[in-house]
């Protein structure tokens, strides 16, 4: 996992979630960023949203990953 993917994932999170994830161990951050990238790559609905608004698609994928974590 690249630092760029973790940074992009953190940027896509809501501020409160960003703080919580930033405080987790690096391996956990990388795991979540990997799940986020998988969510972006595998969901056709997000592909459509990505064409209209890449930041909105990234935020929605981040929300879904964090919802599964809860």
């Amino acid at each position: 996992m690249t630092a760029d993917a973790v940074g992009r994932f953190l940027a896509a999170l809501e501020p409160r979630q960003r703080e919580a994830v930033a405080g987790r161990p690096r391996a956990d951050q990388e795991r979540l960023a990997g799940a986020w990238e998988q969510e972006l790559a595998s969901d056709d609905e997000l592909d459509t949203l990505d064409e209209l608004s890449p930041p909105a698609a990234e935020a929605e994928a981040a929300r879904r990953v964090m919802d599964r974590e809860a």
Side-chain angles (χ1 to χ4, degrees):
M1 181 68 47
T2 66
D4 184 52
V6 172
R8 287 179 45 234
F9 172 64
L10 289 172
L13 291 169
E14 295 177 4
R16 194 175 300 168
Q17 290 177 323
R18 185 178 310 122
E19 290 176 21
V21 172
R24 292 184 180 190
R26 181 66 182 185
D28 204 21
Q29 292 176 13
E30 290 176 355
R31 180 184 58 78
L32 290 169
W36 172 73
E37 287 185 322
Q38 182 64 33
E39 184 74 26
L40 284 170
S42 66
D43 191 305
D44 292 337
E45 185 180 296
L46 289 176
D47 285 343
T48 302
L49 182 58
D50 189 49
E51 291 178 16
L52 300 172
S53 175
E58 291 182 350
E60 176 61 17
R63 184 192 63 75
R64 292 177 184 182
V65 167
M66 295 307 294
D67 283 351
R68 284 194 300 264
E69 281 291 302

